Amino acid sequence: MRERCPELDISWLAASPADRVIRDAGERLLPDAADFANGSALAEQSAKGAGLSLVRYTMSARKSWRRNVEAVSRVTARERFDLVIGDETYELSLAYRRDRKLKTCPFVMIYDFVGLDAMSWNPLERLGVYIWNRAWSGGRRSSKPAYDLALFVGELEDVPDRSFGLGLPSRREWARKRCSFVGHVFPFDPVRYRDRDSLKKHLGYGAGPLVICSIGGTAIGRELLDLCAAALPIARREIPNLRMVLVGGPRISAESLVAPKGAEVRGYVPKLYEHFAAADLAIVQAGGTATLELTALRRPFIYFPLEGHSEQQVTVAGRLARHGAGVRMDLPRATPQSLALAIRANLDKPTTYPPIPADGARKAAELICGLLEKSGLDPVLEHLQGASIPRGKW
C-alpha cells in the first residue's frame, strides 16, 4: 500500500501477541490497544485441553467484543480516519450493521473462512452454529453488509460449497457475491527459500535431519509439543542424528518445556517460516498460516487439527486435501510410537504440491487503495469527515 500511496499514515490496534509483531516492524500501535480484548487469552480460557469449539469461543467472547467496538469507536472519533481495515473483526461488522451511526468512514473486512460447522451432535452447539451462521450470512434475505469491501485471503474453492444452514444461502455463492478473492498472503517469496543447505547453515543448524514442531500463537495444543518430545527418542533409534526443535511461540515459555536428548526448545521465533523452509519435516497444528506457509515452501509436514475447531477440522483440512499437502493426524488417537513412525515415513519426503497464488498482499493493496481513492471523491464521505481533512489516514 505504501508503494502505491507513499503519503499513507497507518495506525494499528491489536492485542497480544500481534502487538509484538507490529512494534517489531516499527509501526505505530495506538495506546488504545491496551483496552483491546486479548483473543488469544480468551481462546485459551475457552479451550479444553487440545480442543477448542469456535461456537463456545464466540459465545464467551461477546462481552470482550463490546470492549473492542468501544475502543474502535473511540479511536475513529478522535483520529478521524479515512478508512478502517479489520482482520476477522466480526464484532465490528455486526456492530456497524446494527448501528450505522458507529461507522464514520469506509470499512474493509478481511476473511479467511466463511461460516461455522457443528463438530458434534450436541443440540446446543448445533443451535449456536445456526444462530451464528444466520447472523454471518445476514439471514434469509441476506441483508446488506456494513463493509464497503470484503477481502478473502484464499481461493473460492476454499469456501465449502454448502449452505450456512436450513433456509440460509450457500456459503460459496455468498462469498462469490460479497468477497474479492486475493489468493494467499506471505511475508516472503517462496522462490528465495529453495536452498535448504544454505538456510540450515544461516540458521545455525547442522547438516543432519531437522524436524520443527510448532503450535502457533496460543498455548492451546501444548500437548502436541509433549507428544513430539515423547516421539523423538523412539524415532532416534533408527535416525540417531535426528534433531528436533520445539517452538512454544509467544504464549509458552521455553523454560516450561522439557526437551529430550536431541531436542531444543524455543519460545517466540521471529520469521518462523525460515525455519520451516530449512526443515526436513514440520509438525504443526492445522492453523491456516503455518500450513499454507509449508505448502508454499513445498516442505513435508504433519498437521493436527484442534478437536472441535471447525475452521481447522473443515476449512483448513479441506484446503490441504485439495492441494494434496501435508499428512493429517488426530491428537487424541496419536501415540509417541505412531508419531515416530510418521516422522520416519515423511522425513524429507518429496512433495508434489501444486503452486498456490502467493501475491495476495499486492492484490489486496490494489483493492484497498482503489477504495480509498474512490472514497476520496465521494461527496457524502467528504461531508461526514470534512473536506479539509487530508486523505490517506488509516
Side-chain angles (χ1 to χ4, degrees):
M1 291 193 300
R2 287 190 172 114
E3 287 178 7
R4 176 165 171 167
C5 306
E7 73 281 6
L8 285 180
D9 177 11
I10 304 177
S11 301
W12 301 77
L13 271 178
S16 175
D19 57 351
R20 178 173 180 172
V21 178
I22 292 167
R23 289 193 183 97
D24 289 349
E27 296 287 342
R28 180 196 179 204
L29 186 70
L30 292 166
D32 306 78
D35 299 327
F36 227 53
N38 189 318
S40 295
L42 183 61
E44 290 164 4
Q45 294 168 9
S46 303
K48 290 185 177 180
L52 173 64
S53 166
L54 288 185
V55 178
R56 188 186 311 120
Y57 168 73
T58 54
M59 293 303 180
S60 61
R62 301 298 288 273
K63 189 175 294 185
S64 299
W65 282 4
R66 285 196 291 270
R67 283 177 48 196
N68 289 354
V69 172
E70 290 171 359
V72 172
S73 299
R74 184 170 62 250
V75 166
T76 53
R78 183 183 73 234
E79 301 276 347
R80 298 179 67 84
F81 288 103
D82 299 292
L83 190 69
V84 169
I85 304 172
D87 179 21
E88 295 188 302
T89 48
Y90 305 107
E91 67 271 44
L92 206 55
S93 180
L94 289 172
Y96 284 172
R97 197 163 72 191
R98 290 169 180 163
D99 186 356
R100 298 283 174 166
K101 294 179 182 179
L102 292 175
K103 182 185 169 193
T104 59
C105 63
F107 170 50
V108 178
M109 180 72 172
I110 302 175
Y111 295 99
D112 65 2
F113 74 103
V114 173
L116 298 181
D117 293 273
M119 303 307 297
S120 75
W121 289 102
N122 184 317
L124 291 178
E125 181 188 13
R126 301 181 81 82
L127 177 62
V129 165
Y130 185 83
I131 291 172
W132 175 249
N133 281 349
R134 183 182 176 87
W136 191 320
S137 65
R140 294 174 184 266
R141 297 181 181 179
S142 195
S143 61
K144 183 179 179 181
Y147 47 75
D148 301 89
L149 173 65
L151 302 179
F152 189 94
V153 179
E155 304 168 82
L156 179 63
E157 293 77 14
D158 292 332
V159 182
D161 190 14
R162 59 175 177 271
S163 73
F164 281 96
L166 182 65
L168 300 178
S170 160
R171 298 189 202 187
R172 186 170 291 181
E173 284 305 307
W174 182 94
R176 190 198 303 272
K177 294 176 181 178
R178 300 289 186 94
C179 301
S180 295
F181 290 80
V182 301
H184 303 294
V185 176
F186 301 106
F188 59 88
D189 180 358
V191 176
R192 296 181 57 189
Y193 290 91
R194 290 179 176 173
D195 188 345
R196 283 193 296 123
D197 291 338
S198 297
L199 267 174
K200 282 187 176 182
K201 184 177 181 181
H202 170 70
L203 295 171
Y205 297 121
L210 172 67
V211 178
I212 302 291
C213 308
S214 170
I215 61 169
T218 73
I220 304 171
R222 179 195 179 104
E223 293 85 351
L224 176 56
L225 296 178
D226 295 335
L227 175 65
C228 292
L232 179 59
I234 302 172
R236 280 172 65 91
R237 294 172 189 167
E238 294 187 20
I239 314 171
N241 61 339
L242 181 64
R243 182 176 184 178
M244 179 179 284
V245 179
L246 304 172
V247 181
R251 305 284 295 177
I252 298 178
S253 66
E255 294 75 19
S256 67
L257 296 171
V258 178
K261 182 180 179 181
E264 61 181 280
V265 295
R266 302 186 185 184
Y268 171 65
V269 177
K271 297 183 178 180
L272 181 61
Y273 56 82
E274 292 186 345
H275 301 260
F276 284 158
D280 297 282
L281 178 69
I283 302 174
V284 296
Q285 280 185 358
T289 299
T291 55
L292 277 172
E293 288 177 350
L294 288 160
T295 302
L297 292 166
R298 304 175 76 84
R299 302 309 307 136
F301 64 96
I302 301 169
Y303 66 97
F304 290 77
L306 285 173
E307 291 294 305
H309 194 295
S310 62
E311 182 191 3
Q312 293 191 10
Q313 293 272 352
V314 178
T315 304
V316 175
R319 178 173 57 213
L320 295 176
R322 182 166 59 86
H323 291 308
V327 173
R328 177 173 178 170
M329 295 184 68
D330 296 312
L331 192 59
R333 287 164 284 284
T335 64
Q337 292 77 14
S338 65
L339 181 55
L341 285 172
I343 290 172
R344 293 198 295 270
N346 292 281
L347 192 69
D348 203 20
K349 182 179 179 180
T351 58
T352 57
Y353 314 152
I356 59 176
D359 59 344
R362 183 165 298 279
K363 287 184 177 179
E366 291 172 356
L367 289 166
I368 293 170
C369 288
L371 174 63
L372 184 63
E373 292 164 2
K374 180 181 178 181
S375 300
L377 300 175
D378 188 339
V380 176
L381 181 62
E382 293 291 349
H383 174 73
L384 285 173
Q385 294 204 290
S388 63
I389 300 297
R391 314 306 301 172
K393 187 173 182 181
W394 301 9

